Amino acid sequence: MAGSGFSFGRGDGGQPKSARTPLQRLLYWGAVLAVWAIIFLVVFFAVFARDLPDTSTLYNVDRQPSITYLDRNGALIAVRGSQMAPPADLDALPDYVPAAFIAIEDRRFYHHPGFDPVGMTRAVAANMRAGRVVQGGSTLTQQLAKNLFLSPDQNMKRKMQELMLAVWLEMKFSKEEILALYLNRVYFGAGAYGIEAASQRYFDKGAKDLTVGEAALLAGLLKAPSRYSPVSESERAATRATVVLNEMVEAGVISPEQRAQAVTEPVRVSRTLASQHAQYFVDWLDKQIRELVGEPTEDMIVETTLDLTLQTSAERAVRRILDRDRSKGVQQAALVALDGEGRVRAMIGGASYADSQFNRAVDARRQAGSAWKPFVYLTALESGYTPETRVNDAPIRIGNWSPRNYSGTFAGEMSLANAVAQSTNTVAAAMADQIGRDNVARTARRLGITSRIGLEPAMALGAVEVSPIDMAQAYDAFANGGKRVRAYGISRIRTPQGRVIYQRASRESGPVQAISNPFLYYQNQMLRGVMTSGTGRSAAIAGRDTAGKTGTTSDYKDAWFVGYTGGFVTAVWVGKDDNTPMRGVTGGSSPAAIWKGFMEAALPRLNAPAIPNGPAMPEGWQPPSPVENLIGSIGDLFGDNPPADEGVDPLDAPLPEPEQPRREPAPTRDDGPVLRPTQPQPQPEPAPPPQKKADALFF
């Protein structure tokens, strides 16, 4: 079929097909793009909107229950967990408060639909120039969407969901409503959610009373609440607040004069929040709360025994001496103050809670040194000694151990009261060996020592690791009339609505008589002598009835002062965490200075009485004459004693390993000069190994 074939580019009859007009091409490609846009949106929502959170939870608050700690007078100590407050009314706030947040977080807040392309472009350019993320492009609405609905994960999916939710918020709420939601839900650090809670937490005032400087400080917190905390990072927080003030001036929110006034007017952070040492006390209680009531499922208020005024005095006393004696190697300190019922009134667990949360007042175990000796001497008094019993400061040897005095010399014959006042090591060691170190351990247990008590000879000189709180509760029996107490800090736990969850029962707090008379009378007389003429003279307070004991361990690794007045006792320890020596620091120096500084401030508030005499004296008892020797032959009083190391450590405490000749615990040092006798005494020859009869060591 000649002439037949296919023709390309021609229609019927072989005529050329007409080209589309510009309008047709526009409509055609518009339709194509619309189809692809629909496909993109379907895929976009399928990928990013499929698991968007339920926005009906907008007004729900998902948080951990808060625990509010109050001192004995109802003052706020701390809040743990999440703290919420009634929402602040935006109209009731000064104009500069919300404006501060807009100025630093989202200057174009009133001009964007939830996301800010201009801000995003500016942030991307700034980050590219810096080679790292230095600026964010999120709007205030995006931050609210993230805080309300999303996790903090940094990925593309979360960012796209944030944009979608921000647009939804802008469509559903007015700008004022979004701003109010933001201010009332954002996290300000320190457990505070919302501007009202933050204002109360940081400044002890409502948000409506915030100054320009305080508003700038809170606005500056949002970038990084812990990094810009006015409590632990005050300088950094002040620098950040200055940036906010500059932005407020640039935005026209405040005048340069207002900025200058805000800079010169100091911002004072809440005293209770700034009192970081009280956090050691709160940590101590936190574990106990869960033992008492279980894991919190609702907000709770814990009424404690702490006295914030005394706590502040303790902090100042500790800080002053740590600063003063830093050159001597005094790095850490702990303090526990108890009243006569065992209630903790003040607690310092270390030099800085921000630097170390380890509570040295409760959890540290350090050798007690001569502060242990009152347990030795109380045991001796209960065995028949009196303060006027004549004892001998002379060289002795117990097994392969020979204790020495701080001075390196021996004073010869002296009264037991003098031996206590001058903290004579040889007398205490010989005394404990004679009356039985197991009996000394039982006495310490009876008074409140809970640590393991070894029965090696050096135990008599304080080679026992104890905590400050143990020492305070044991000495409390000397201060309160001879009653054993157990230190505690929780009086009651209740809900904010007033429902009582826990109430300390009277049987829990009721002291038990642990020391009878005349032994308590004798003990207090001797420990008063430590303050008037012994190693604790530097701690004496004029016009006050005080008593106590110093303690210093070998090589000056630990130094103690535990002292008391009527119904109030304070234990102080100083040292280093690495257990290396300080430089010549004894119990009569740094610890005594802390104790005196604290007690001088505390006693006027306490209105403490004289040290009580305790239970009634035996019928016919008369105070001993200072010139009589009432003991006679000590051996006749005691008879034969079993070897002390064969005793049983009471209250199921672990027994020490059998004494080995290879190593004895280091002897403790005395805390001051040894009182020399009025007549020179010849230096006796080293005593032979101790006999069972007391008069082999004492005469």
Side-chain angles (χ1 to χ4, degrees), residues 65-146:
S66 69
I67 305 177
T68 300
Y69 295 86
L70 305 179
D71 89 333
R72 65 191 301 263
N73 299 308
L76 176 67
I77 300 173
V79 179
R80 294 286 176 89
S82 303
Q83 181 186 16
M84 304 290 291
D89 182 1
L90 197 64
D91 294 332
L93 298 178
D95 292 341
Y96 52 75
V97 173
F101 292 85
I102 293 174
I104 194 65
E105 292 293 329
D106 188 2
R107 185 84 65 84
R108 292 169 47 81
F109 173 68
Y110 286 106
H111 306 289
H112 61 64
F115 62 94
D116 184 7
V118 176
M120 289 180 178
T121 303
R122 184 173 59 246
V124 170
N127 295 337
M128 289 180 64
R129 284 194 301 269
R132 57 188 177 89
V133 177
V134 295
Q135 187 174 340
S138 294
T139 66
L140 189 148
T141 313
Q142 288 175 265
Q143 294 178 45
L144 177 62
K146 179 180 67 175

Coordinates of all heavy atoms in Angstrom, one line a residue, residues 65-146:
P65 N 4.6 14.3 93.2 CA 4.1 15.0 94.4 C 5.2 15.8 95.0 O 6.4 15.4 95.0 CB 3.6 13.9 95.3 CG 3.4 12.7 94.3 CD 4.4 12.8 93.2
S66 N 4.9 16.9 95.6 CA 5.9 17.7 96.3 C 5.9 17.4 97.8 O 4.9 17.0 98.3 CB 5.6 19.2 96.1 OG 4.4 19.6 96.7
I67 N 7.0 17.6 98.4 CA 7.2 17.5 99.8 C 7.7 18.8 100.3 O 8.8 19.3 100.0 CB 8.1 16.4 100.2 CG1 7.7 15.0 99.6 CG2 8.2 16.3 101.8 CD1 8.6 13.9 99.9
T68 N 6.9 19.5 101.1 CA 7.3 20.8 101.7 C 7.7 20.6 103.1 O 7.1 20.0 103.9 CB 6.1 21.8 101.7 OG1 5.6 21.9 100.3 CG2 6.4 23.1 102.2
Y69 N 8.9 21.2 103.4 CA 9.5 21.0 104.7 C 9.4 22.4 105.5 O 9.9 23.4 105.0 CB 11.0 20.6 104.6 CG 11.2 19.2 104.0 CD1 11.3 19.1 102.6 CD2 11.3 18.1 104.8 CE1 11.4 17.8 102.1 CE2 11.5 16.8 104.3 CZ 11.6 16.7 102.9 OH 11.7 15.5 102.4
L70 N 8.8 22.3 106.7 CA 8.7 23.5 107.5 C 9.5 23.4 108.8 O 9.7 22.3 109.3 CB 7.2 23.7 107.9 CG 6.2 23.8 106.7 CD1 4.8 24.0 107.3 CD2 6.6 24.9 105.8
D71 N 10.0 24.5 109.2 CA 10.8 24.4 110.5 C 9.8 24.4 111.7 O 8.6 24.4 111.5 CB 11.8 25.5 110.6 CG 11.2 26.8 111.2 OD1 10.0 27.1 111.1 OD2 12.0 27.6 111.8
R72 N 10.3 24.3 112.9 CA 9.4 24.2 114.0 C 8.4 25.3 114.2 O 7.4 25.2 114.9 CB 10.2 24.0 115.3 CG 11.1 25.2 115.7 CD 12.1 24.8 116.8 NE 11.4 24.3 118.0 CZ 11.1 25.1 119.1 NH1 11.4 26.4 119.1 NH2 10.5 24.6 120.1
N73 N 8.7 26.5 113.6 CA 7.8 27.6 113.7 C 7.0 27.9 112.5 O 6.3 28.9 112.4 CB 8.7 28.9 114.0 CG 9.5 28.8 115.3 OD1 8.9 28.5 116.3 ND2 10.8 29.0 115.2
G74 N 7.0 26.9 111.5 CA 6.2 27.0 110.3 C 6.9 27.7 109.2 O 6.3 27.9 108.1
A75 N 8.2 28.1 109.3 CA 8.9 28.8 108.2 C 9.3 27.7 107.2 O 9.6 26.6 107.5 CB 10.1 29.5 108.7
L76 N 9.3 28.1 105.9 CA 9.7 27.2 104.8 C 11.2 26.9 104.9 O 12.0 27.8 104.9 CB 9.3 27.8 103.5 CG 9.7 27.0 102.2 CD1 8.9 25.7 102.2 CD2 9.5 27.9 101.0
I77 N 11.5 25.6 104.9 CA 12.9 25.2 104.7 C 13.2 24.9 103.3 O 14.2 25.3 102.7 CB 13.2 24.0 105.6 CG1 12.9 24.3 107.1 CG2 14.6 23.5 105.4 CD1 13.0 23.1 108.0
A78 N 12.4 24.0 102.7 CA 12.7 23.5 101.3 C 11.4 22.9 100.8 O 10.5 22.5 101.5 CB 13.8 22.6 101.3
V79 N 11.4 22.8 99.5 CA 10.3 22.0 98.8 C 11.0 21.0 97.8 O 11.9 21.4 97.0 CB 9.4 22.9 98.0 CG1 8.3 22.1 97.3 CG2 8.7 23.9 98.9
R80 N 10.8 19.8 98.0 CA 11.3 18.7 97.1 C 10.2 18.2 96.2 O 9.0 18.1 96.6 CB 11.9 17.6 97.9 CG 13.1 18.0 98.7 CD 14.3 18.2 97.8 NE 15.5 18.7 98.5 CZ 16.4 17.9 99.1 NH1 16.2 16.5 99.1 NH2 17.5 18.4 99.7
G81 N 10.5 17.9 95.0 CA 9.5 17.5 94.0 C 9.0 18.7 93.3 O 9.6 19.8 93.4
S82 N 7.9 18.6 92.6 CA 7.4 19.7 91.8 C 6.5 20.6 92.6 O 5.5 20.1 93.3 CB 6.6 19.2 90.6 OG 7.4 18.3 89.8
Q83 N 6.7 21.9 92.6 CA 5.9 22.9 93.3 C 5.0 23.6 92.3 O 5.5 24.2 91.4 CB 6.7 23.8 94.1 CG 5.9 24.8 94.9 CD 6.7 25.9 95.6 OE1 7.9 26.1 95.2 NE2 6.1 26.6 96.5
M84 N 3.7 23.6 92.5 CA 2.8 24.4 91.7 C 2.1 25.4 92.6 O 2.0 25.2 93.8 CB 1.7 23.5 91.1 CG 2.3 22.3 90.2 SD 3.1 22.9 88.7 CE 1.6 23.4 87.8
A85 N 1.7 26.5 92.0 CA 1.0 27.5 92.7 C -0.2 27.9 91.9 O -0.3 27.6 90.7 CB 1.9 28.7 92.9
P86 N -1.2 28.6 92.5 CA -2.3 29.0 91.7 C -1.9 29.9 90.6 O -0.9 30.6 90.7 CB -3.1 29.8 92.8 CG -2.7 29.3 94.1 CD -1.3 28.9 93.9
P87 N -2.5 29.8 89.4 CA -2.0 30.5 88.2 C -2.1 32.0 88.5 O -3.0 32.5 89.1 CB -3.0 30.1 87.1 CG -4.2 29.5 87.8 CD -3.7 28.9 89.1
A88 N -1.0 32.7 88.0 CA -1.0 34.1 88.1 C -1.9 34.8 87.1 O -2.0 34.3 85.9 CB 0.4 34.6 87.9
D89 N -2.6 35.8 87.5 CA -3.5 36.5 86.6 C -2.6 37.5 85.8 O -2.0 38.4 86.4 CB -4.5 37.3 87.4 CG -5.5 38.1 86.5 OD1 -5.4 38.0 85.3 OD2 -6.4 38.7 87.1
L90 N -2.6 37.4 84.5 CA -1.8 38.2 83.7 C -2.1 39.7 83.8 O -1.2 40.5 83.8 CB -1.9 37.8 82.2 CG -0.8 38.3 81.2 CD1 0.5 37.6 81.6 CD2 -1.2 37.9 79.8
D91 N -3.3 40.0 84.0 CA -3.7 41.4 84.2 C -3.2 42.0 85.5 O -3.1 43.2 85.6 CB -5.2 41.6 84.1 CG -5.8 41.2 82.7 OD1 -5.0 41.4 81.7 OD2 -6.9 40.8 82.6
A92 N -3.0 41.1 86.5 CA -2.6 41.6 87.8 C -1.1 41.8 87.9 O -0.6 42.5 88.8 CB -3.0 40.6 88.9
L93 N -0.3 41.3 86.9 CA 1.1 41.5 86.9 C 1.5 42.9 86.3 O 0.9 43.4 85.4 CB 1.8 40.4 86.0 CG 1.6 38.9 86.4 CD1 2.2 38.0 85.4 CD2 2.1 38.7 87.8
P94 N 2.6 43.4 86.9 CA 3.1 44.6 86.3 C 3.5 44.4 84.8 O 3.9 43.3 84.4 CB 4.4 44.9 87.1 CG 4.2 44.2 88.4 CD 3.4 43.0 88.0
D95 N 3.3 45.4 83.9 CA 3.5 45.2 82.5 C 4.9 44.7 82.2 O 5.1 44.0 81.2 CB 3.3 46.6 81.8 CG 1.8 47.0 81.8 OD1 1.0 46.1 82.1 OD2 1.6 48.2 81.6
Y96 N 5.9 45.1 83.0 CA 7.3 44.7 82.7 C 7.6 43.3 82.9 O 8.6 42.7 82.5 CB 8.3 45.6 83.4 CG 8.1 45.7 84.9 CD1 8.4 44.6 85.8 CD2 7.6 46.8 85.5 CE1 8.2 44.7 87.1 CE2 7.4 46.9 86.9 CZ 7.7 45.8 87.7 OH 7.5 45.9 89.0
V97 N 6.7 42.6 83.7 CA 6.9 41.2 84.0 C 6.7 40.3 82.7 O 7.7 39.6 82.3 CB 6.1 40.7 85.1 CG1 6.2 39.1 85.3 CG2 6.4 41.4 86.4
P98 N 5.5 40.3 82.1 CA 5.5 39.5 80.9 C 6.3 40.0 79.7 O 6.9 39.3 78.9 CB 4.0 39.6 80.5 CG 3.4 40.7 81.2 CD 4.3 40.9 82.5
A99 N 6.5 41.4 79.7 CA 7.3 42.0 78.7 C 8.8 41.5 78.8 O 9.5 41.4 77.7 CB 7.3 43.5 78.8
A100 N 9.3 41.2 80.0 CA 10.7 40.7 80.1 C 10.8 39.4 79.4 O 11.8 39.2 78.7 CB 11.0 40.6 81.6
F101 N 9.8 38.5 79.5 CA 9.9 37.2 78.8 C 9.8 37.4 77.3 O 10.5 36.7 76.6 CB 8.8 36.3 79.4 CG 9.0 35.9 80.8 CD1 8.6 36.8 81.8 CD2 9.6 34.8 81.2 CE1 8.7 36.4 83.2 CE2 9.8 34.4 82.5 CZ 9.4 35.2 83.5
I102 N 8.9 38.3 76.9 CA 8.8 38.5 75.4 C 10.1 39.1 74.9 O 10.6 38.7 73.8 CB 7.6 39.4 75.2 CG1 6.3 38.7 75.5 CG2 7.6 39.8 73.7 CD1 5.1 39.5 75.4
A103 N 10.7 40.0 75.6 CA 11.9 40.7 75.1 C 13.1 39.7 74.9 O 13.8 39.8 74.0 CB 12.3 41.8 76.1
I104 N 13.2 38.7 75.8 CA 14.4 37.9 75.8 C 14.1 36.6 75.0 O 15.0 35.9 74.4 CB 14.9 37.5 77.2 CG1 16.3 36.9 77.1 CG2 13.9 36.7 77.9 CD1 17.4 37.8 76.5
E105 N 12.8 36.1 75.0 CA 12.5 34.9 74.4 C 11.9 35.0 73.0 O 12.1 34.1 72.2 CB 11.5 34.1 75.3 CG 12.1 33.7 76.6 CD 13.1 32.6 76.5 OE1 13.1 31.8 75.5 OE2 14.1 32.6 77.3
D106 N 11.1 36.0 72.7 CA 10.3 36.1 71.4 C 9.9 37.5 71.2 O 8.7 37.8 71.4 CB 9.1 35.1 71.5 CG 8.4 34.9 70.2 OD1 8.9 35.5 69.2 OD2 7.4 34.2 70.2
R107 N 10.8 38.3 70.6 CA 10.5 39.7 70.4 C 9.3 39.9 69.4 O 8.6 40.9 69.5 CB 11.7 40.4 69.9 CG 11.6 41.9 69.7 CD 11.9 42.6 71.0 NE 13.3 42.4 71.4 CZ 14.3 43.2 71.0 NH1 14.2 44.1 70.1 NH2 15.5 43.0 71.5
R108 N 9.1 39.0 68.5 CA 8.1 39.1 67.5 C 6.8 38.3 67.9 O 6.1 37.9 67.0 CB 8.6 38.7 66.1 CG 9.7 39.6 65.6 CD 10.4 39.0 64.3 NE 9.5 38.4 63.4 CZ 8.8 39.1 62.5 NH1 9.0 40.4 62.4 NH2 8.0 38.5 61.6
F109 N 6.6 38.1 69.1 CA 5.5 37.2 69.6 C 4.2 37.7 69.1 O 3.4 36.8 68.6 CB 5.5 37.3 71.1 CG 4.3 36.6 71.7 CD1 4.2 35.2 71.7 CD2 3.3 37.3 72.4 CE1 3.1 34.5 72.2 CE2 2.2 36.7 73.0 CZ 2.1 35.3 72.9
Y110 N 3.9 39.0 69.0 CA 2.6 39.5 68.6 C 2.5 39.5 67.1 O 1.4 40.0 66.6 CB 2.3 40.8 69.2 CG 2.0 40.8 70.7 CD1 2.9 41.2 71.6 CD2 0.8 40.3 71.1 CE1 2.6 41.1 73.0 CE2 0.5 40.2 72.5 CZ 1.4 40.6 73.4 OH 1.1 40.6 74.7
H111 N 3.5 39.1 66.3 CA 3.5 39.3 64.9 C 3.7 38.0 64.1 O 3.9 38.1 62.9 CB 4.6 40.3 64.5 CG 4.5 41.6 65.2 ND1 3.4 42.5 65.0 CD2 5.2 42.1 66.2 CE1 3.6 43.6 65.8 NE2 4.7 43.3 66.6
H112 N 3.6 36.9 64.7 CA 3.8 35.6 64.0 C 2.7 34.7 64.2 O 2.0 34.8 65.2 CB 5.2 35.0 64.3 CG 5.3 34.6 65.7 ND1 4.6 33.6 66.4 CD2 6.2 35.0 66.7 CE1 5.0 33.5 67.6 NE2 6.0 34.3 67.8
P113 N 2.5 33.7 63.4 CA 1.4 32.7 63.5 C 1.7 31.5 64.4 O 1.0 30.5 64.2 CB 1.1 32.3 62.1 CG 2.4 32.3 61.4 CD 3.2 33.5 62.1
G114 N 2.7 31.6 65.2 CA 3.1 30.4 66.0 C 4.5 30.0 65.8 O 5.2 29.5 66.6
F115 N 5.0 30.3 64.5 CA 6.4 30.1 64.2 C 6.9 31.3 63.5 O 6.1 32.0 62.9 CB 6.7 28.8 63.4 CG 6.0 28.8 62.1 CD1 6.6 29.2 60.9 CD2 4.6 28.4 61.9 CE1 6.0 29.3 59.7 CE2 4.0 28.4 60.7 CZ 4.7 28.8 59.6
D116 N 8.2 31.6 63.6 CA 8.7 32.9 63.1 C 9.8 32.6 62.0 O 10.9 32.3 62.4 CB 9.3 33.7 64.2 CG 9.8 35.0 63.8 OD1 9.5 35.4 62.6 OD2 10.4 35.7 64.6
P117 N 9.4 32.6 60.7 CA 10.4 32.4 59.7 C 11.6 33.3 59.8 O 12.7 32.9 59.5 CB 9.6 32.6 58.4 CG 8.2 32.4 58.8 CD 8.1 32.9 60.2
V118 N 11.3 34.6 60.1 CA 12.4 35.6 60.2 C 13.4 35.1 61.3 O 14.6 35.1 61.2 CB 11.9 37.0 60.5 CG1 13.0 37.9 60.7 CG2 11.0 37.4 59.3
G119 N 12.8 34.8 62.5 CA 13.7 34.3 63.6 C 14.4 33.1 63.3 O 15.6 32.9 63.7
M120 N 13.8 32.1 62.6 CA 14.4 30.9 62.2 C 15.6 31.1 61.3 O 16.7 30.6 61.5 CB 13.4 29.9 61.6 CG 12.4 29.4 62.5 SD 11.3 28.2 61.6 CE 10.2 27.7 62.9
T121 N 15.4 32.0 60.3 CA 16.5 32.3 59.4 C 17.6 33.0 60.1 O 18.8 32.7 59.9 CB 15.9 33.2 58.3 OG1 14.8 32.6 57.6 CG2 17.0 33.5 57.3
R122 N 17.3 33.9 61.0 CA 18.4 34.6 61.7 C 19.1 33.6 62.6 O 20.4 33.7 62.7 CB 17.7 35.7 62.6 CG 18.7 36.5 63.4 CD 18.1 37.7 64.1 NE 17.1 37.2 65.0 CZ 15.8 37.4 64.9 NH1 15.3 38.1 63.9 NH2 14.9 37.0 65.8
A123 N 18.5 32.7 63.2 CA 19.1 31.7 64.1 C 20.0 30.8 63.3 O 21.1 30.4 63.7 CB 18.1 30.9 64.9
V124 N 19.5 30.3 62.1 CA 20.3 29.4 61.3 C 21.6 30.2 60.8 O 22.7 29.6 60.8 CB 19.5 29.0 60.0 CG1 20.4 28.3 59.0 CG2 18.4 28.0 60.5
A125 N 21.5 31.4 60.4 CA 22.6 32.2 60.0 C 23.6 32.3 61.1 O 24.8 32.2 60.9 CB 22.2 33.5 59.4
A126 N 23.1 32.7 62.3 CA 24.0 32.9 63.4 C 24.8 31.6 63.8 O 26.0 31.6 64.1 CB 23.3 33.4 64.6
N127 N 24.0 30.4 63.7 CA 24.7 29.2 64.1 C 25.7 28.7 63.0 O 26.7 28.1 63.4 CB 23.6 28.1 64.2 CG 22.6 28.4 65.4 OD1 23.0 29.1 66.3 ND2 21.4 27.8 65.3
M128 N 25.4 29.0 61.8 CA 26.4 28.7 60.7 C 27.6 29.5 60.9 O 28.7 29.0 60.7 CB 25.7 28.9 59.3 CG 24.6 27.9 59.0 SD 23.9 28.2 57.3 CE 25.3 27.9 56.3
R129 N 27.5 30.8 61.2 CA 28.7 31.6 61.4 C 29.5 31.1 62.6 O 30.8 31.2 62.5 CB 28.3 33.1 61.6 CG 27.8 33.8 60.4 CD 27.7 35.3 60.7 NE 26.8 35.7 61.7 CZ 25.5 35.9 61.6 NH1 25.0 35.9 60.4 NH2 24.8 36.2 62.6
A130 N 28.9 30.7 63.6 CA 29.6 30.2 64.8 C 30.1 28.8 64.7 O 30.9 28.4 65.5 CB 28.7 30.4 66.1
G131 N 29.5 28.1 63.8 CA 29.9 26.7 63.7 C 29.3 25.8 64.7 O 29.7 24.6 64.9
R132 N 28.4 26.3 65.5 CA 27.7 25.5 66.5 C 26.4 26.2 66.9 O 26.1 27.3 66.4 CB 28.6 25.4 67.8 CG 29.0 26.8 68.4 CD 30.0 26.6 69.5 NE 30.4 27.9 70.0 CZ 29.8 28.6 71.0 NH1 28.8 28.1 71.6 NH2 30.3 29.8 71.4
V133 N 25.6 25.6 67.7 CA 24.3 26.2 68.0 C 24.5 27.2 69.1 O 24.9 26.9 70.2 CB 23.3 25.1 68.6 CG1 22.0 25.7 69.0 CG2 23.1 24.0 67.5
V134 N 24.3 28.5 68.7 CA 24.4 29.6 69.7 C 23.1 30.4 69.8 O 23.0 31.2 70.7 CB 25.5 30.6 69.2 CG1 26.9 29.9 69.2 CG2 25.2 31.1 67.8
Q135 N 22.1 30.1 69.0 CA 20.9 30.8 69.0 C 19.8 29.9 68.6 O 19.9 29.1 67.7 CB 21.0 32.0 68.1 CG 19.8 33.0 68.2 CD 20.0 34.2 67.4 OE1 21.1 34.6 67.0 NE2 18.9 34.9 67.0
G136 N 18.6 30.0 69.3 CA 17.5 29.2 69.0 C 16.5 30.0 68.2 O 16.4 31.2 68.3
G137 N 15.7 29.3 67.4 CA 14.7 30.0 66.6 C 13.3 29.7 67.1 O 12.3 30.1 66.4
S138 N 13.1 29.0 68.2 CA 11.7 28.7 68.7 C 11.0 29.9 69.2 O 11.6 30.7 69.9 CB 11.8 27.6 69.8 OG 12.3 26.4 69.2
T139 N 9.8 30.0 68.9 CA 9.0 31.1 69.4 C 8.5 30.7 70.8 O 8.6 29.5 71.2 CB 7.8 31.4 68.5 OG1 6.9 30.2 68.5 CG2 8.2 31.7 67.1
L140 N 7.9 31.7 71.5 CA 7.3 31.4 72.8 C 6.2 30.4 72.7 O 6.1 29.5 73.6 CB 6.8 32.7 73.4 CG 6.4 32.8 74.8 CD1 6.7 34.2 75.4 CD2 4.9 32.5 74.9
T141 N 5.4 30.5 71.6 CA 4.3 29.5 71.4 C 4.9 28.1 71.2 O 4.3 27.1 71.7 CB 3.5 29.9 70.2 OG1 3.2 31.3 70.3 CG2 2.2 29.1 70.2
Q142 N 6.0 28.0 70.4 CA 6.6 26.7 70.2 C 7.1 26.1 71.6 O 7.0 24.9 71.8 CB 7.8 26.8 69.2 CG 7.3 27.0 67.8 CD 8.5 27.2 66.9 OE1 8.9 28.3 66.6 NE2 9.1 26.1 66.4
Q143 N 7.7 26.9 72.4 CA 8.2 26.5 73.7 C 7.0 26.0 74.6 O 7.2 25.0 75.3 CB 8.9 27.6 74.4 CG 10.2 28.1 73.7 CD 10.9 29.2 74.5 OE1 11.0 29.2 75.7 NE2 11.3 30.2 73.7
L144 N 5.9 26.7 74.5 CA 4.8 26.3 75.2 C 4.3 24.9 74.7 O 4.0 24.0 75.5 CB 3.6 27.3 75.1 CG 2.3 26.9 75.8 CD1 2.5 26.8 77.3 CD2 1.2 28.0 75.5
A145 N 4.2 24.7 73.4 CA 3.8 23.5 72.8 C 4.7 22.3 73.3 O 4.3 21.2 73.7 CB 3.8 23.6 71.3
K146 N 6.0 22.6 73.3 CA 7.0 21.6 73.7 C 6.8 21.2 75.2 O 6.7 20.1 75.6 CB 8.4 22.1 73.5 CG 9.5 21.1 73.9 CD 10.9 21.7 73.7 CE 11.1 22.9 74.5 NZ 12.5 23.4 74.4

